C-alpha cells in the first residue's frame, strides 16, 4: 500500500499553486504554538479520595537517564535525498544507465539538498561533513566532489556558520527553489513498499499544460550513519522526450528517427529547406555517389559540404567563377555531424499536443515553457517534417522552416569533378608560439578544376605563399596539377 512521504518533503511542494504561498525566503512551518487567544481546556478535577501517587525515587550517583532519540521513519529519513535526487535528475545532469555517482550529478544533487535543508530546517550554511555524508549516501566512493567552476560562477560559496562550522552556501539553488518550486515545478513523492520511493517532477506551463517526469529510487540500509540511515542503490529514469498526447499513434523516438537525414533520404531523392530568417538561401541535401552532399544556394554564392570538404562556388575578386575548398574536416558532409539537423527541431519540446490533421498533414503544438513554443506539420504516414513555426511570447512566429521533398536535386555541374581523377594539394602551416616555430603539413585530394584556398589565409592571420622562402605570393597555379601552399603568420 502506498503512503505519502512526510511533511518534511510536503512543505516545499507547490505552495503558491495550492493557494498557501509562504513568505519568500522563509521555511513553511508545519507546527507551532497555539494562538494566544485560542480557548484552553478547563482543568480536570481530581477526586479527593483518589490515591496519592507513589513517592518518586531519589536519583543515584549516576547521571540522569537520557531519553533515546525517536527513531525516524523511512519516509522522513529519505525525504531530503528524494528531493535532491529527483530535481537533479530532472535537471539533466544524470547520465543514463549508470548509478548516480557521476561527479556532475553529485554536485547538482548536493546543491538541491542544501536548498531543501535551508527551506525545511533553516540551515543557511550546509556543514561540509554533512555534504560529504550526503554524497556518500548517493553512492560516491571517493572524496567530496565540488567543481571549482561552481565557485567561480557563484553557484556555491565557502562560508562559516555562526557557531564556527565550516560549510557551503549554495546560493543559486536556494534562489532557484524560491523561484521555481511551487511556481513552475511541482514535486510529488510516495513510498512504494519498504525500500522504494516513486517521485514525479511536474512542469507547469504558462498556458496550463503540464509535463511529468517519473523516477523510482531504491534504497538499502546505510549502517553507521545516523544522518543518512538509507543509501541510494538505484535510480530509474523516465524515457527521454516530451510528454506525448495520447491521440498520437506514434511515440517521440519514432518521430525523431523518421526525421533523420539517413531515414528521409531512403524515401526521397532530395530534401529542400527554406527558412524565414535567411529568405535568400535554399538548402539542398541529397546523396551523391553514396555520400551526403549539402548545397546552400544564395543570390551571391553557392556553398556547402561534400566528402570532407567545405566549399564555395562563385566569382572571386577578379570575377573568375570557380569552386574553392576553404577547409577539410571529417565532419563536413558526414551523416554523423548532420543526420539530426531536422530532428533536432523537435528537441526542445516538453509537451506535444495533437492539433488535428487533414488526412495528409498532422498538426502538432509543442510547448517548451518560458514563452517558447513550436507548431509543427508532419506528413501522415512517414512523419516527415513539412513545416516548423517557432514562437516566443506572441502569436506571430519568430521564424518558419519549410521542408519539401523534390523528385531530384538541381544539376550542380561543378560537382562533376569529383567523378574524375583527383589531384593532390598540400598545405604547410607555420606557427610561432611558446618561443618556437611549429610546422604542420596536411595533404588533401580534390577535383582537378577546384582551387584550395584555406579560409585562414583568406580571412585569418596567415599569409599564403607558393614557396618555402615566402617570396612568391599566392596565385592559382591552374587546373589538373598537384601543388603545395605555404601558410605563415610571419611576413615573408
Amino acid at each position: 500500500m502506498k503512503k505519502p512521504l512526510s511533511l518534511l518533503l510536503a512543505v516545499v511542494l507547490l505552495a503558491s499553486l495550492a493557494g498557501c504561498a509562504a513568505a519568500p525566503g522563509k521555511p513553511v512551518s508545519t507546527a507551532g504554538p497555539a494562538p494566544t487567544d485560542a480557548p484552553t481546556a478547563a482543568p480536570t478535577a481530581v477526586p479527593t479520595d483518589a490515591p496519592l501517587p507513589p513517592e518518586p525515587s531519589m536519583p543515584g550517583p549516576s547521571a540522569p537517564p537520557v531519553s533515546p532519540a525517536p527513531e525516524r521513519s523511512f519516509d522522513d529519513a529519505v525525504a531530503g535525498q528524494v528531493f535532491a535526487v529527483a530535481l537533479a535528475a530532472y535537471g539533466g545532469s544524470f547520465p543514463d544507465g549508470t548509478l548516480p555517482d557521476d561527479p556532475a550529478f553529485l554536485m547538482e544533487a548536493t546543491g538541491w539538498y542544501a536548498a531543501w535543508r535551508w527551506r525545511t530546517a533553516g540551515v543557511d550554511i550546509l556543514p561540509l561533513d554533512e555534504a560529504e555524508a550526503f554524497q556518500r549516501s548517493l553512492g560516491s566512493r571517493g572524496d567530496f566532489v565540488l567543481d571549482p567552476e561552481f565557485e567561480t560562477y557563484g553557484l556555491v560559496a565557502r562560508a562559516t556558520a555562526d557557531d564556527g562550522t565550516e560549510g557551503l552556501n549554495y546560493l543559486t539553488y536556494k534562489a532557484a527553489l524560491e523561484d521555481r518550486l511551487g511556481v513552475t515545478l511541482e514535486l510529488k513523492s510516495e513510498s512504494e513498499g519498504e525500500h522504494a520511493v516513486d517521485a514525479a517532477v511536474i512542469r507547469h506551463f504558462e498556458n496550463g499544460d503540464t509535463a511529468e517526469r517519473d523516477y523510482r529510487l531504491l534504497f538499502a540500509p546505510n549502517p553507521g550513519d545516523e544522518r543518512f540511515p538509507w543509501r541510494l542503490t538505484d535510480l530509474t529514469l523516465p524515457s527521454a522526450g516530451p510528454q506525448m498526447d495520447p491521440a498520437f499513434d506514434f511515440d517521440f523516438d519514432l518521430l525523431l528517427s523518421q526525421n533523420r537525414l539517413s531515414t528521409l533520404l531512403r524515401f526521397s531523392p532530395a530534401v529542400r529547406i527554406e527558412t524565414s530568417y535567411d529568405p535568400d538561401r535554399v538548402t539542398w541535401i541529397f546523396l551523391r555517389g553514396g555520400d551526403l552532399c549539402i548545397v546552400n544556394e544564395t543570390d551571391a554564392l553557392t556553398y556547402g559540404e561534400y566528402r570532407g570538404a567545405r566549399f564555395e562556388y562563385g566569382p572571386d575578386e577578379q570575377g573568375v567563377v570557380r569552386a574553392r575548398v576553404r577547409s577539410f574536416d571529417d565532419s563536413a558532409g558526414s551523416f554523423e555531424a548532420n543526420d539530426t539537423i531536422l530532428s533536432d527541431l523537435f528537441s526542445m519540446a516538453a509537451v506535444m499536443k495533437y492539433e488535428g490533421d487533414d488526412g495528409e498533414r498532422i498538426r502538432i503544438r509543442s510547448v517548451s515553457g518560458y514563452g517558447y513554443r513550436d507548431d509543427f506539420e508532419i506528413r501522415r504516414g512517414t512523419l516527415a517534417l513539412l513545416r516548423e513555426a517557432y514562437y516566443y511570447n506572441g502569436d506571430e512566429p519568430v521564424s518558419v522552416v519549410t521542408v519539401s521533398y523534390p523528385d531530384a536535386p538541381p544539376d550542380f555541374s561543378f560537382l562533376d569533378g569529383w567523378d574524375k581523377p583527383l589531384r593532390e594539394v598540400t598545405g604547410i602551416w607555420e606557427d610561432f608560439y611558446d618561443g618556437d616555430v611549429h610546422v604542420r603539413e596536411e595533404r588533401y585530394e580534390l577535383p582537378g578544376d577546384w582551387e584550395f584556398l584555406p579560409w585562414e589565409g583568406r580571412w585569418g592571420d596567415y599569409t599564403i605563399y607558393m614557396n618555402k622562402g615566402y617570396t612568391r605570393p599566392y596565385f592559382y597555379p591552374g587546373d589538373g596539377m598537384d601543388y603545395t601552399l605555404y601558410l605563415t603568420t610571419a611576413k615573408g
Side-chain angles (χ1 to χ4, degrees):
M1 177 179 178
K2 293 184 177 180
K3 51 184 176 179
L5 282 179
S6 70
L7 286 178
L8 285 176
L9 183 58
V11 294
V12 295
L13 303 184
L14 208 58
S16 62
L17 291 179
C20 56
K26 297 182 180 179
V28 179
S29 175
T30 60
T36 54
D37 57 352
T40 57
T44 303
V46 179
T48 55
D49 57 350
L52 293 175
E55 289 286 339
S57 59
M58 296 299 292
S62 61
V66 177
S67 300
E71 191 171 317
R72 287 187 293 170
S73 68
F74 170 74
D75 295 347
D76 291 348
V78 302
Q81 291 155 295
V82 170
F83 178 90
V85 167
L87 289 183
Y90 180 83
S93 62
F94 181 67
D96 291 348
T98 65
L99 284 174
D101 56 359
D102 175 74
F105 175 81
L106 289 173
M107 289 186 290
E108 184 86 357
T110 307
W112 285 117
Y113 174 75
W116 178 84
R117 288 281 283 145
W118 168 70
R119 171 65 76 87
T120 59
V123 176
D124 196 44
I125 297 172
L126 183 68
L128 188 57
D129 64 335
E130 184 174 350
E132 292 173 344
F134 170 75
Q135 288 192 357
R136 287 195 299 271
S137 78
L138 299 191
S140 172
R141 299 177 180 86
D143 296 332
F144 177 67
V145 177
L146 178 61
D147 191 322
E149 289 191 355
F150 268 51
E151 295 181 80
T152 301
Y153 293 109
L155 300 178
V156 61
R158 296 183 182 273
T160 303
D162 292 340
D163 62 359
T165 302
E166 296 296 322
L168 301 164
N169 191 349
Y170 284 84
L171 311 165
T172 303
Y173 290 88
K174 293 189 291 187
L177 187 149
E178 287 294 291
D179 292 341
R180 299 175 194 170
L181 199 66
V183 180
T184 60
L185 288 182
E186 176 184 3
L187 174 61
K188 291 182 177 179
S189 300
E190 28 181 43
S191 57
E192 178 67 45
E194 294 185 358
H195 301 154
V197 175
D198 289 333
V201 179
I202 304 170
R203 173 80 175 275
H204 291 260
F205 297 98
E206 298 91 334
N207 65 350
D209 287 329
T210 61
E212 181 172 320
R213 306 284 282 173
D214 298 318
Y215 308 89
R216 167 160 283 202
L217 298 83
L218 300 181
F219 292 89
N222 190 26
D225 192 332
E226 294 183 357
R227 284 175 297 196
F228 301 100
W230 298 89
R231 60 182 176 85
L232 184 67
T233 59
D234 196 13
L235 172 60
T236 302
L237 297 171
S239 59
Q243 183 169 304
M244 301 289 285
D245 194 312
F248 293 129
D249 57 1
F250 55 87
D251 61 21
F252 187 65
D253 289 339
L254 181 60
L255 179 64
L256 294 184
S257 176
Q258 290 297 100
N259 282 281
R260 292 180 178 272
L261 294 181
S262 53
T263 302
L264 294 170
L265 292 174
R266 287 208 301 260
F267 303 104
S268 176
V271 178
R272 186 180 190 271
I273 304 172
E274 295 179 272
T275 63
S276 63
Y277 52 82
D278 194 355
D280 295 330
R281 182 184 70 183
V282 175
T283 299
W284 291 89
I285 305 174
F286 53 97
L287 293 177
R288 190 180 187 285
D291 295 311
L292 184 67
C293 186
I294 302 173
V295 179
N296 299 281
E297 289 187 297
T298 70
D299 292 340
L301 191 69
T302 298
Y303 62 96
E305 305 175 14
Y306 182 58
R307 292 180 62 173
R310 299 185 189 278
F311 66 83
E312 62 184 43
Y313 176 77
D316 60 13
E317 291 84 350
Q318 287 75 41
V320 178
V321 177
R322 185 181 292 116
R324 299 171 184 85
V325 175
R326 291 302 189 183
S327 69
F328 283 92
D329 183 342
D330 289 342
S331 66
S334 74
F335 273 111
E336 183 178 359
N338 297 285
D339 202 23
T340 63
I341 60 175
L342 287 179
S343 60
D344 283 346
L345 295 175
F346 299 99
S347 63
M348 295 301 295
V351 179
M352 301 195 83
K353 300 181 68 176
Y354 174 78
E355 294 288 303
D357 69 78
D358 60 7
E360 295 184 357
R361 294 178 176 230
I362 301 173
R363 298 189 304 278
I364 300 172
R365 172 155 294 188
S366 163
V367 180
S368 304
Y370 304 107
Y372 298 97
R373 86 165 201 268
D374 294 275
D375 287 349
F376 296 101
E377 292 180 11
I378 61 174
R379 181 177 289 171
R380 174 164 285 287
T382 65
L383 308 183
L385 178 65
L386 299 172
R387 186 178 187 272
E388 181 249 5
Y390 168 70
Y391 297 82
Y392 177 65
N393 284 338
D395 295 325
E396 292 296 322
V398 176
S399 67
V400 176
V401 175
T402 304
V403 187
S404 58
Y405 304 91
D407 292 334
D411 180 17
F412 296 114
S413 58
F414 63 86
L415 294 169
D416 292 345
W418 288 98
D419 303 326
K420 302 172 183 178
L422 303 179
R423 65 170 163 187
E424 184 178 86
V425 294
T426 302
I428 299 177
W429 283 260
E430 182 184 68
D431 296 283
F432 297 85
Y433 57 88
D434 295 336
D436 202 355
V437 179
H438 299 265
V439 178
R440 63 185 174 91
E441 180 176 322
E442 310 240 353
R443 297 176 185 271
Y444 308 105
E445 288 188 330
L446 69 159
D449 57 350
W450 282 40
E451 181 179 15
F452 179 47
L453 190 58
W455 69 267
E456 59 262 50
R458 178 66 177 82
W459 296 285
D461 297 329
Y462 291 82
T463 304
I464 306 178
Y465 295 91
M466 300 301 293
N467 67 323
K468 188 175 181 180
Y470 308 126
T471 59
R472 298 170 58 201
Y474 173 76
F475 60 89
Y476 179 62
D479 295 347
M481 64 181 67
D482 298 343
Y483 63 92
T484 299
L485 302 181
Y486 298 86
L487 297 90
T488 180
T489 54
K491 295 183 177 179

